Every structure is written in C-alpha cells, then in structure tokens.
Amino acid sequence: MSSEVVKQAVKIIRETDCPPLRIMEVCGTHTHEIFRLGIRSLLPEHVKLVSGPGCPVCVTPVEFIDEAVMLASEKGATICTFGDLVRVPGTKMSLAGARAQGARVVTVYSPLDAEEYARNHADEQVVFLSVGFETTTPSDCLSVRAAVANGTENFSLLTSNKTMPGAYDAMRTSADAFLYPGHVHAITGTALCRQLAEEGVSGVVAGFTAAELTVALATIIKRASEGKPFFENCYPRVVRDEGNPQAMGIITEYMEPCDAEWRGIGVIADSGLKLRERYESYDARLRFELPELHGRSNPACRCGEILRGACSPVDCPLFGRACTPEHPVGACMVSSEGTCSAYHMYGGDVR
C-alpha cells in the first residue's frame, strides 16, 4: 500500500464531516494493534472505538474453565492448552492453581502438538482445550483427524469453539460500524458481511498493519458520512469473497453447530461447534461424563460489559488495582488479545 494512499486516508479521517460514530473492533488483535501503533490519536473526538467479543479466550465462559479444572483435578486427565487459558480464573481456581496442586497441565503450540503428546504418553488421558473461532477451528479438527489416523485413543477435545455470525447479530446495535476481523473472514469469506449491510449493519474487513488499519478506519468514516449502510473489504490481499472453502469443509466434516454461552452476552443459538456424532468418542464431556456446571465469575469484574462494548476497562473498579496482568481477576486481563490487557499495556483512555 503506497504512502500516498495512507496520507489520503489520514486526510479523510481528520477532515471528513461525519456524524458521531462508534466503531467496534471485533478482533482483539485489532484492539492491541490500534493501541500499539498509536492510531487512536488520529481520530476526531466524535469517533469512538469500542472493543467487542473477538477474543476467544475472553468470551469463553467460566464453566468451561471449571470443566477443565475438574478434568485435571478430579478425573486425572492431562490438560493440553495454549498458554493464555492457564491463568483464566474459574469459579474456584484457574488451571494454574490446579497445576500448583499437582494436576498435569501442559502448554502446547497447536492441537497437533497435543495429539502427539497423547501418542507419546499412552498411559495418560490427554484433553486438548479446543477454544477459538473459525480461524483456529480447522486445526482442532485436524487433530481429531490425526488421532483417528494414528489410532490415538487416549486423546479428546473439550470444545468451546464459536462462530462469529451469531455474535455479529447479537452486537448489531452496540456500534455504528464493525471493524471485521480479517483472519476470520479469510476463512468464512464476505457473504455474511454483505448480507448484514443489506440489513442495515455497516462494516469493513480490516488487515493488521498500520496502513491497513488506517485505510479501514478512513473508509468507515467516509462511507458513514454518506448516510447509507455499507460494506467494504479493505483486506483484499488476504480475504476473498469465497473465503477458504477447504478450511470450511474441514470444520463441516468434523463439527456441527450447537448453542453456545458467550461471556457477557449469554447463550447465542447455533453459535458454537461440537464434534459430530461419528467423532463423539473424542468428546471429553462424553468420555469423562462431565456434569453440567454453572460457573460464577467475580461479581465486581466487568469483563462481560467490556466484551459487548457497554463500558471501557477504565470503568471497572478492579482495573489496574485488584486486576493486573500479574494477578488477573477477569479473562480480558489475561489474554494477549484481551481489551483490558491492551488498556493496561498501552495506557488506554476512555475513547
């Protein structure tokens, strides 16, 4: 992207006469990058950025952590997970707390690493914590494919996979325009975004560089000034209209929709994914006969409101005091994509 294009985008941001705007960064990585790159300083006072539910660790409900702790502490399973989930608080403790009490919790870099760990530790029941959106779900499915192919019978998934369409619908009144997550739409394509625009929901798909984010925000401001709902793909080097049919096919082969709980939003119909019946032997909930749990988060924590754009981290009485990256109270402070961690790291204001 040329410097002239970026200069023109900055000019549009600073000079375009648009109505007051609330732009939701659906993606947690967008939140962090916009802070890190100083892009917020470009925006006029009447253009506000609010963070949304695009951090998979953050929207994972407390009871999922409780299930993982139960598997590790009471069922004797080895938990394999990405690092962010280890410190997310459950009702009574985090996985880090369970590990401190002797539970086996192993940090891995991919679901396939977890399947390999299971193959190399045949005397352990290994559970991978399958958390993520359409971007990472194909790799979770591939770990099941590998387990089938390798005859790895001591491997299963505890699923909390989610899909974005239901979240967009639930959040449609929370902002004037969405900054859609580029990585998700590289998988799913743009059909849903175009449909939402026809229904009056505006937004653009954005990349992650300074130039791409600046152009995306300028596009929103310019199009909003025209007074009509809109959609534009501002990440065409990665996102195509058709998405990635192969990746979507893998998801469809191994998983099917189910209702899912989103932290701060509630249950969204058909917004989750679970293993299909023919792969249910790899479903940790069924393998270990887990009871239905009802988690409880700290009542003073405002992560839920932050995830739906109803407040800013600085509005939370715990932020930067009782809740810090070293001692997180809520998931939004733990995750590398979390809004609270971004505000704490970069000194976020209320804009």
Side-chain angles (χ1 to χ4, degrees):
M1 191 174 294
S2 72
S3 60
E4 286 303 315
V5 170
V6 177
K7 288 180 182 178
Q8 182 62 29
V10 172
K11 181 179 175 66
I12 290 170
I13 290 172
R14 288 176 170 169
E15 299 181 5
T16 300
D17 182 18
C18 70
L21 280 177
R22 281 169 54 86
I23 302 171
M24 177 171 281
E25 320 130 8
V26 177
C27 176
T29 302
H30 279 159
T31 300
H32 275 257
E33 286 302 286
I34 287 170
F35 265 121
R36 187 181 69 82
L37 296 166
I39 292 174
R40 283 177 168 240
S41 64
L42 296 176
L43 301 177
E45 284 293 327
H46 63 284
V47 177
K48 309 293 185 184
L49 293 177
V50 295
S51 298
C55 165
V57 170
C58 301
V59 297
T60 298
V62 175
E63 49 263 33
F64 179 84
I65 302 300
D66 293 344
E67 288 178 311
V69 169
M70 176 178 284
L71 285 168
S73 300
E74 300 179 27
K75 304 291 187 178
T78 298
I79 300 298
C80 285
T81 180
F82 299 137
D84 279 2
L85 277 169
V86 174
R87 298 173 61 238
V88 175
T91 298
K92 294 181 179 179
M93 72 175 72
S94 65
L95 282 165
R99 182 165 59 188
Q101 295 182 5
R104 291 189 299 271
V105 180
V106 179
T107 301
V108 295
Y109 295 100
S110 77
L112 289 172
D113 289 344
E115 191 276 335
E116 181 180 9
Y117 179 95
R119 275 188 284 124
N120 294 331
H121 297 79
D123 58 332
E124 300 176 23
Q125 282 290 331
V126 177
V127 179
F128 177 71
L129 303 187
S130 182
V131 170
F133 301 128
E134 293 93 337
T135 312
T136 56
T137 297
S139 60
D140 299 331
C141 297
L142 289 176
S143 71
V144 176
R145 175 182 289 181
V148 173
N150 296 325
T152 312
E153 297 182 355
N154 62 321
F155 176 75
S156 58
L157 302 183
L158 184 67
T159 56
S160 188
N161 301 77
K162 293 178 170 62
T163 57
M164 290 308 302
Y168 294 155
D169 189 59
M171 305 296 293
R172 64 168 61 205
T173 61
S174 298
D176 301 301
F178 287 133
L179 197 66
Y180 289 118
H183 292 156
V184 166
H185 290 283
I187 303 298
T188 64
T190 61
L192 174 63
C193 304
R194 297 184 189 283
Q195 177 186 332
L196 286 170
E198 292 175 0
E199 297 172 2
V201 180
S202 298
V204 304
V205 173
F208 298 88
T209 67
E212 288 165 339
L213 286 164
T214 302
V215 168
L217 289 169
T219 299
I220 291 176
I221 289 171
K222 182 178 180 180
R223 293 296 303 273
S225 69
E226 298 169 1
K228 299 178 181 178
F230 60 88
F231 167 72
E232 288 197 28
N233 178 10
C234 293
Y235 198 25
R237 68 183 180 89
V238 172
V239 175
R240 299 185 296 272
D241 285 349
E242 68 275 18
N244 186 328
Q246 183 178 12
M248 291 300 294
I250 290 170
I251 295 174
T252 300
E253 179 182 353
Y254 286 88
M255 292 190 173
E256 63 184 7
C258 63
D259 297 348
E261 175 83 23
W262 295 61
R263 186 192 299 261
I265 300 175
V267 175
I268 301 178
D270 292 333
S271 67
L273 291 166
K274 65 178 182 179
L275 289 169
R276 291 189 178 277
E277 185 176 356
R278 60 180 174 273
Y279 299 110
E280 67 180 12
S281 61
Y282 296 95
D283 185 325
R285 291 187 179 89
L286 298 177
R287 177 174 296 192
F288 292 92
E289 299 181 335
L290 291 181
E292 183 177 355
L293 301 180
H294 300 282
R296 300 187 309 280
S297 59
N298 187 314
C301 175
R302 301 188 70 180
C303 273
E305 294 168 81
I306 291 165
L307 287 165
R308 61 177 186 268
C311 76
S312 165
V314 297
D315 297 321
C316 178
L318 304 182
F319 176 76
R321 299 177 180 86
C323 183
T324 65
E326 294 76 24
H327 301 285
V329 175
C332 296
M333 185 63 85
V334 177
S335 174
S336 60
E337 297 180 79
T339 302
C340 293
S341 69
Y343 273 66
H344 194 276
M345 184 179 299
Y346 300 108
D349 56 21
V350 296
R351 288 183 58 208

